[in-house]
Amino acid sequence: MHWDDWEKLIRREREQRRQEEKLLHDRIHQLEADLYFARQEIRHLQREKKEGRVKIYV
């Protein structure tokens, strides 16, 4: 393999890795947002339960 071919291959693999890392980063960000909103909902329901407005069965 010629040196230029190796450079192209390395560049292509780096770009592919960068794209994969971006997808993972975006997914992590989405999961963190989902977790935040789930915690908010739990707090809201616990407050309602404490105030006697709703019954929570687990």
Side-chain angles (χ1 to χ4, degrees):
M1 217 177 203
H2 192 270
W3 178 248
D4 289 342
D5 296 331
W6 282 107
E7 285 183 340
K8 288 176 187 174
L9 179 64
I10 291 169
R11 240 182 267 119
R12 195 173 337 140
E13 288 180 359
R14 283 182 182 158
E15 181 57 33
Q16 183 178 350
R17 194 172 323 117
R18 199 173 302 121
Q19 290 175 1
E20 290 169 356
E21 288 172 357
K22 184 183 181 329
L23 290 173
L24 287 173
H25 175 79
D26 292 348
R27 181 69 178 133
I28 289 168
H29 183 74
Q30 182 61 53
L31 289 170
E32 288 172 337
D34 292 348
L35 180 59
Y36 172 81
F37 288 112
R39 285 179 174 157
Q40 292 291 95
E41 182 66 16
I42 289 168
R43 280 194 277 278
H44 175 73
L45 290 171
Q46 287 173 332
R47 193 175 316 114
E48 286 187 348
K49 181 182 178 188
K50 184 179 177 184
E51 296 170 359
R53 291 190 282 162
V54 71
K55 298 211 181 300
I56 299 174
Y57 301 97
V58 180

